[in-house]
Amino acid sequence: MSQQERWQLGGNAPEVYERYLVPAIFRPWAPILIAQAMLQAGERVLDVACGTGVVARLAAQHVGASGHVTGLDISDAMLALGQRRCVDLSGAGRASFIKADATALPFADSAFDVAVSIQVYEYVADLPTALVELHRVLRPGGRVLILDTDWDSIVWHATDTEQMGRLLAAWIERFADPYLPRTLARRLRDAGFQVDRRDVLVLLNPEYDPDTYSVANGELMADFAVTQGRLTRHEVDAWTQDLHRLGEEGRYFFSLNRYLFLAHR
Ligand SMILES: C[S@@+](CC[C@H](N)C(=O)[O-])C[C@H]1O[C@@H](n2cnc3c(N)ncnc32)[C@H](O)[C@@H]1O
Protein backbone atom coordinates (compact mmCIF):
# COMPACT_ATOMS: atom_id res chain seq x y z
CA MET A 1 0.00 0.00 0.00
CA SER A 2 1.39 3.41 -0.93
CA GLN A 3 1.80 6.17 1.64
CA GLN A 4 -0.90 8.18 -0.16
CA GLU A 5 -3.36 5.27 0.03
CA ARG A 6 -2.69 4.97 3.74
CA TRP A 7 -3.55 8.61 4.32
CA GLN A 8 -6.66 8.28 2.17
CA LEU A 9 -7.82 5.33 4.23
CA GLY A 10 -7.61 7.49 7.31
CA GLY A 11 -5.35 4.92 8.92
CA ASN A 12 -1.99 6.00 10.21
CA ALA A 13 0.79 3.94 8.66
CA PRO A 14 0.07 0.73 10.58
CA GLU A 15 3.62 -0.08 11.58
CA VAL A 16 4.13 3.43 13.00
CA TYR A 17 0.81 3.12 14.75
CA GLU A 18 1.81 -0.20 16.27
CA ARG A 19 5.27 0.92 17.31
CA TYR A 20 4.49 4.29 18.87
CA LEU A 21 0.82 5.05 19.20
CA VAL A 22 -0.34 1.79 20.73
CA PRO A 23 2.07 2.01 23.69
CA ALA A 24 1.66 5.78 24.06
CA ILE A 25 -2.13 5.92 23.99
CA PHE A 26 -3.77 2.57 24.20
CA ARG A 27 -1.91 0.89 27.00
CA PRO A 28 -3.14 3.63 29.38
CA TRP A 29 -6.49 4.30 27.72
CA ALA A 30 -7.83 0.95 26.56
CA PRO A 31 -8.68 -0.20 30.11
CA ILE A 32 -10.49 3.10 30.74
CA LEU A 33 -12.52 2.68 27.56
CA ILE A 34 -13.38 -0.91 28.36
CA ALA A 35 -14.52 0.10 31.85
CA GLN A 36 -16.73 2.82 30.36
CA ALA A 37 -18.33 0.34 27.96
CA MET A 38 -19.37 -1.79 30.99
CA LEU A 39 -18.96 -5.06 29.08
CA GLN A 40 -20.67 -8.11 30.53
CA ALA A 41 -19.80 -11.78 30.12
CA GLY A 42 -21.44 -13.27 27.05
CA GLU A 43 -21.96 -10.01 25.16
CA ARG A 44 -21.47 -9.73 21.40
CA VAL A 45 -19.24 -6.74 20.68
CA LEU A 46 -18.52 -4.94 17.41
CA ASP A 47 -15.33 -2.87 17.17
CA VAL A 48 -15.91 -0.51 14.24
CA ALA A 49 -12.55 0.22 12.57
CA CYS A 50 -10.65 -1.88 15.05
CA GLY A 51 -7.22 -0.85 13.74
CA THR A 52 -4.50 -2.89 15.38
CA GLY A 53 -6.95 -4.69 17.69
CA VAL A 54 -5.89 -3.40 21.11
CA VAL A 55 -9.41 -2.60 22.23
CA ALA A 56 -10.84 -5.70 20.50
CA ARG A 57 -8.47 -7.92 22.47
CA LEU A 58 -9.35 -6.39 25.81
CA ALA A 59 -13.05 -6.49 24.97
CA ALA A 60 -12.83 -10.21 24.12
CA GLN A 61 -11.17 -10.88 27.45
CA HIS A 62 -13.96 -9.02 29.25
CA VAL A 63 -16.88 -10.77 27.56
CA GLY A 64 -15.28 -14.15 28.23
CA ALA A 65 -15.60 -17.48 26.50
CA SER A 66 -19.37 -17.10 26.07
CA GLY A 67 -19.02 -13.71 24.36
CA HIS A 68 -17.59 -12.69 21.02
CA VAL A 69 -15.83 -9.67 19.50
CA THR A 70 -15.96 -8.79 15.82
CA GLY A 71 -13.28 -6.40 14.62
CA LEU A 72 -14.07 -4.57 11.40
CA ASP A 73 -11.74 -2.33 9.41
CA ILE A 74 -11.33 -1.16 5.83
CA SER A 75 -7.55 -1.55 5.82
CA ASP A 76 -5.96 -4.95 5.16
CA ALA A 77 -2.76 -3.85 6.91
CA MET A 78 -4.61 -2.82 10.08
CA LEU A 79 -6.69 -6.01 10.04
CA ALA A 80 -3.55 -8.11 9.74
CA LEU A 81 -2.15 -6.50 12.90
CA GLY A 82 -5.47 -6.94 14.71
CA GLN A 83 -5.67 -10.59 13.72
CA ARG A 84 -2.12 -11.19 14.88
CA ARG A 85 -2.79 -9.56 18.23
CA CYS A 86 -5.90 -11.70 18.80
CA VAL A 87 -4.78 -14.97 17.19
CA ASP A 88 -5.30 -17.03 20.36
CA LEU A 89 -8.79 -15.60 20.90
CA SER A 90 -9.73 -16.10 17.26
CA GLY A 91 -8.53 -19.69 17.50
CA ALA A 92 -10.85 -20.18 20.46
CA GLY A 93 -13.77 -18.69 18.51
CA ARG A 94 -13.92 -15.62 20.74
CA ALA A 95 -12.87 -13.02 18.16
CA SER A 96 -13.12 -12.59 14.41
CA PHE A 97 -12.08 -9.94 11.93
CA ILE A 98 -13.71 -8.73 8.75
CA LYS A 99 -12.86 -6.22 6.05
CA ALA A 100 -15.72 -3.79 5.51
CA ASP A 101 -16.66 -0.13 5.36
CA ALA A 102 -18.24 1.50 8.40
CA THR A 103 -21.01 2.82 6.15
CA ALA A 104 -22.08 -0.67 4.98
CA LEU A 105 -21.91 -3.09 7.90
CA PRO A 106 -22.18 -6.70 6.67
CA PHE A 107 -24.23 -7.91 9.64
CA ALA A 108 -27.84 -8.78 10.38
CA ASP A 109 -30.11 -6.37 12.27
CA SER A 110 -29.62 -6.51 16.08
CA ALA A 111 -26.49 -8.67 15.72
CA PHE A 112 -24.59 -6.97 18.59
CA ASP A 113 -25.12 -6.00 22.23
CA VAL A 114 -22.36 -3.38 22.25
CA ALA A 115 -20.33 -1.41 19.71
CA VAL A 116 -17.13 0.53 20.26
CA SER A 117 -15.56 2.93 17.79
CA ILE A 118 -12.33 4.67 18.68
CA GLN A 119 -10.97 7.46 16.51
CA VAL A 120 -12.91 6.51 13.42
CA TYR A 121 -15.98 8.59 12.66
CA GLU A 122 -13.95 11.77 12.25
CA TYR A 123 -12.58 10.08 9.08
CA VAL A 124 -15.93 8.96 7.67
CA ALA A 125 -17.42 11.29 5.07
CA ASP A 126 -20.94 9.81 5.09
CA LEU A 127 -21.46 9.86 8.84
CA PRO A 128 -25.30 9.79 8.77
CA THR A 129 -25.20 6.46 6.90
CA ALA A 130 -22.50 5.07 9.22
CA LEU A 131 -24.54 5.92 12.34
CA VAL A 132 -27.79 4.53 10.91
CA GLU A 133 -25.89 1.32 10.10
CA LEU A 134 -24.50 1.20 13.64
CA HIS A 135 -28.00 1.66 15.05
CA ARG A 136 -29.35 -1.12 12.83
CA VAL A 137 -26.80 -3.76 13.88
CA LEU A 138 -27.27 -3.08 17.62
CA ARG A 139 -30.09 -4.84 19.42
CA PRO A 140 -32.73 -2.60 21.05
CA GLY A 141 -31.10 -1.34 24.27
CA GLY A 142 -27.65 -2.09 22.86
CA ARG A 143 -24.88 0.33 23.82
CA VAL A 144 -22.26 2.23 21.85
CA LEU A 145 -19.07 3.90 22.98
CA ILE A 146 -17.45 6.40 20.61
CA LEU A 147 -14.23 8.36 21.07
CA ASP A 148 -13.19 11.12 18.66
CA THR A 149 -10.87 14.12 18.70
CA ASP A 150 -11.75 17.78 18.30
CA TRP A 151 -8.63 19.10 16.57
CA ASP A 152 -9.42 22.67 17.65
CA SER A 153 -8.55 21.58 21.19
CA ILE A 154 -4.85 21.20 20.42
CA VAL A 155 -2.41 23.31 22.44
CA TRP A 156 1.14 22.79 21.21
CA HIS A 157 3.92 25.17 22.07
CA ALA A 158 6.24 26.19 19.21
CA THR A 159 8.61 29.07 18.64
CA ASP A 160 7.25 29.73 15.14
CA THR A 161 3.51 29.87 15.69
CA GLU A 162 2.78 30.68 12.05
CA GLN A 163 4.56 27.52 10.93
CA MET A 164 2.79 25.46 13.60
CA GLY A 165 -0.50 26.85 12.32
CA ARG A 166 0.30 25.77 8.76
CA LEU A 167 1.28 22.28 9.91
CA LEU A 168 -1.95 21.85 11.85
CA ALA A 169 -4.00 23.28 8.96
CA ALA A 170 -2.42 20.66 6.69
CA TRP A 171 -3.04 17.84 9.18
CA ILE A 172 -6.76 18.40 9.58
CA GLU A 173 -7.25 17.96 5.82
CA ARG A 174 -7.05 14.21 6.56
CA PHE A 175 -10.34 14.26 8.39
CA ALA A 176 -13.86 14.31 7.03
CA ASP A 177 -14.78 16.28 10.17
CA PRO A 178 -11.89 17.39 12.41
CA TYR A 179 -14.39 18.93 14.87
CA LEU A 180 -16.84 16.01 15.06
CA PRO A 181 -17.32 15.86 18.87
CA ARG A 182 -19.13 19.18 19.02
CA THR A 183 -21.95 17.89 16.76
CA LEU A 184 -21.83 14.16 17.48
CA ALA A 185 -24.60 14.06 20.11
CA ARG A 186 -27.06 15.65 17.68
CA ARG A 187 -25.97 13.27 14.92
CA LEU A 188 -26.35 10.24 17.19
CA ARG A 189 -29.87 11.35 18.09
CA ASP A 190 -30.69 11.89 14.42
CA ALA A 191 -29.67 8.26 13.80
CA GLY A 192 -32.06 7.09 16.54
CA PHE A 193 -29.72 6.79 19.54
CA GLN A 194 -30.26 8.12 23.03
CA VAL A 195 -27.14 9.82 24.34
CA ASP A 196 -26.38 8.81 27.94
CA ARG A 197 -23.04 10.37 28.70
CA ARG A 198 -20.31 12.66 27.36
CA ASP A 199 -16.85 13.03 28.78
CA VAL A 200 -13.36 14.13 27.84
CA LEU A 201 -10.04 12.29 27.90
CA VAL A 202 -7.09 14.64 27.79
CA LEU A 203 -3.84 13.70 26.13
CA LEU A 204 -1.28 15.73 28.04
CA ASN A 205 2.40 15.55 27.13
CA PRO A 206 4.09 18.18 29.27
CA GLU A 207 7.61 16.92 28.46
CA TYR A 208 9.41 16.10 25.21
CA ASP A 209 9.56 12.31 25.09
CA PRO A 210 9.83 10.24 21.86
CA ASP A 211 7.55 7.61 23.40
CA THR A 212 4.64 9.98 23.86
CA TYR A 213 1.80 10.59 21.44
CA SER A 214 2.72 14.12 20.39
CA VAL A 215 6.31 13.40 19.43
CA ALA A 216 5.43 10.09 17.70
CA ASN A 217 2.41 11.53 15.87
CA GLY A 218 4.42 14.66 15.07
CA GLU A 219 6.46 12.53 12.66
CA LEU A 220 3.30 11.51 10.85
CA MET A 221 2.05 15.11 10.81
CA ALA A 222 5.33 16.33 9.35
CA ASP A 223 5.29 13.63 6.64
CA PHE A 224 1.68 14.39 5.80
CA ALA A 225 2.33 18.14 5.46
CA VAL A 226 5.19 17.40 3.04
CA THR A 227 3.10 14.82 1.10
CA GLN A 228 0.37 17.44 0.69
CA GLY A 229 2.88 20.07 -0.43
CA ARG A 230 1.88 22.37 2.43
CA LEU A 231 5.34 22.56 4.05
CA THR A 232 8.77 21.75 2.67
CA ARG A 233 10.95 19.02 4.15
CA HIS A 234 13.28 21.80 5.29
CA GLU A 235 10.41 23.50 7.17
CA VAL A 236 9.20 20.36 8.91
CA ASP A 237 12.77 19.49 9.91
CA ALA A 238 13.09 22.96 11.47
CA TRP A 239 9.76 22.41 13.27
CA THR A 240 10.90 19.01 14.59
CA GLN A 241 14.18 20.49 15.81
CA ASP A 242 12.31 23.31 17.51
CA LEU A 243 10.17 20.84 19.50
CA HIS A 244 13.30 18.98 20.53
CA ARG A 245 15.01 22.20 21.59
CA LEU A 246 11.96 23.32 23.59
CA GLY A 247 12.11 19.95 25.33
CA GLU A 248 15.75 20.39 26.23
CA GLU A 249 14.97 23.83 27.62
CA GLY A 250 12.08 22.47 29.70
CA ARG A 251 9.54 24.46 27.66
CA TYR A 252 7.76 21.67 25.77
CA PHE A 253 3.96 21.48 26.05
CA PHE A 254 1.25 19.50 24.21
CA SER A 255 -2.38 18.90 25.07
CA LEU A 256 -5.32 17.51 23.04
CA ASN A 257 -8.88 16.59 23.93
CA ARG A 258 -10.66 13.42 22.90
CA TYR A 259 -14.38 13.21 23.60
CA LEU A 260 -16.18 10.12 24.77
CA PHE A 261 -19.83 9.43 23.95
CA LEU A 262 -21.95 6.68 25.46
CA ALA A 263 -25.34 6.09 23.85
CA HIS A 264 -27.87 3.33 23.44
CA ARG A 265 -30.40 2.20 20.89
C1 LIG B 1 -6.99 6.25 13.84
S1 LIG B 1 -7.25 4.59 13.36
C2 LIG B 1 -8.05 3.97 14.82
C3 LIG B 1 -7.98 2.48 14.91
C4 LIG B 1 -8.52 1.84 16.19
N1 LIG B 1 -9.94 2.09 16.38
C5 LIG B 1 -7.75 2.32 17.37
O1 LIG B 1 -8.28 3.13 18.13
O2 LIG B 1 -6.62 1.91 17.53
C6 LIG B 1 -8.57 4.76 12.20
C7 LIG B 1 -9.00 3.43 11.62
O3 LIG B 1 -10.18 3.61 10.86
C8 LIG B 1 -10.10 2.79 9.72
N2 LIG B 1 -11.09 3.34 8.78
C9 LIG B 1 -11.08 4.57 8.23
N3 LIG B 1 -12.17 4.76 7.49
C10 LIG B 1 -12.91 3.61 7.59
C11 LIG B 1 -14.17 3.19 7.07
N4 LIG B 1 -14.90 3.99 6.27
N5 LIG B 1 -14.62 1.98 7.39
C12 LIG B 1 -13.90 1.15 8.18
N6 LIG B 1 -12.70 1.49 8.70
C13 LIG B 1 -12.22 2.71 8.42
C14 LIG B 1 -8.65 2.85 9.31
O4 LIG B 1 -8.26 1.80 8.48
C15 LIG B 1 -7.97 2.80 10.67
O5 LIG B 1 -7.71 1.50 11.10
Side-chain angles (χ1 to χ4, degrees):
M1 188 192 305
S2 72
Q3 182 73 355
Q4 187 60 26
E5 283 171 324
R6 283 175 175 165
W7 295 121
Q8 282 166 353
L9 277 174
N12 294 311
E15 66 276 11
V16 175
Y17 200 91
E18 186 75 348
R19 187 159 157 218
Y20 294 111
L21 302 188
V22 168
I25 307 177
F26 285 105
R27 297 247 161 83
W29 278 14
I32 297 172
L33 296 172
I34 293 292
Q36 294 277 357
M38 295 175 290
L39 299 178
Q40 309 295 316
E43 286 190 313
R44 302 159 298 165
V45 182
L46 172 64
D47 186 349
V48 181
C50 59
T52 66
V54 182
V55 170
R57 179 168 185 87
L58 265 183
Q61 289 165 341
H62 271 71
V63 296
S66 58
H68 186 85
V69 173
T70 304
L72 170 148
D73 205 285
I74 204 167
S75 154
D76 289 318
M78 287 289 195
L79 280 170
L81 289 173
Q83 271 162 334
R84 197 166 73 199
R85 173 166 277 113
C86 298
V87 67
D88 54 332
L89 295 165
S90 301
R94 293 169 55 183
S96 54
F97 292 85
I98 184 166
K99 181 175 180 176
D101 192 304
T103 59
L105 299 175
F107 308 111
D109 295 357
S110 304
F112 298 97
D113 302 298
V114 186
V116 296
S117 183
I118 315 297
Q119 289 290 127
V120 177
Y121 288 125
E122 63 198 66
Y123 295 96
V124 176
D126 188 358
L127 187 66
T129 298
L131 294 181
V132 166
E133 274 291 87
L134 189 65
H135 188 267
R136 179 184 67 75
V137 301
L138 280 175
R139 67 162 168 79
R143 316 180 304 282
V144 58
L145 179 151
I146 298 175
L147 188 77
D148 273 290
T149 300
D150 187 319
W151 287 95
D152 235 4
S153 70
I154 197 163
V155 180
W156 205 350
H157 185 42
T159 306
D160 186 340
T161 52
E162 187 273 333
Q163 191 180 59
M164 174 63 92
R166 279 197 293 133
L167 188 121
L168 293 176
W171 178 248
I172 63 169
E173 287 174 6
R174 296 179 71 208
F175 302 101
D177 185 350
Y179 316 116
L180 176 59
R182 60 188 77 174
T183 60
L184 186 55
R186 173 77 249 173
R187 286 154 173 249
L188 281 165
R189 290 188 195 109
D190 288 347
F193 287 100
Q194 294 188 45
V195 177
D196 300 313
R197 192 157 164 231
R198 281 169 272 183
D199 213 333
V200 61
L201 291 181
V202 181
L203 254 174
L204 175 66
N205 297 160
E207 307 289 344
Y208 183 93
D209 177 347
D211 288 333
T212 53
Y213 170 82
S214 58
V215 176
N217 206 53
E219 289 178 26
L220 296 176
M221 295 169 111
D223 286 346
F224 185 67
V226 174
T227 305
Q228 298 299 98
R230 298 290 294 268
L231 272 82
T232 65
R233 179 54 66 187
H234 179 73
E235 286 175 314
V236 297
D237 286 348
W239 174 78
T240 304
Q241 284 160 16
D242 181 50
L243 296 184
H244 191 246
R245 190 169 46 247
L246 289 171
E248 285 178 342
E249 294 168 357
R251 297 193 293 131
Y252 186 82
F253 187 90
F254 172 92
S255 167
L256 180 66
N257 291 350
R258 293 194 158 155
Y259 295 89
L260 177 82
F261 292 77
L262 286 162
H264 71 274
R265 176 175 168 180

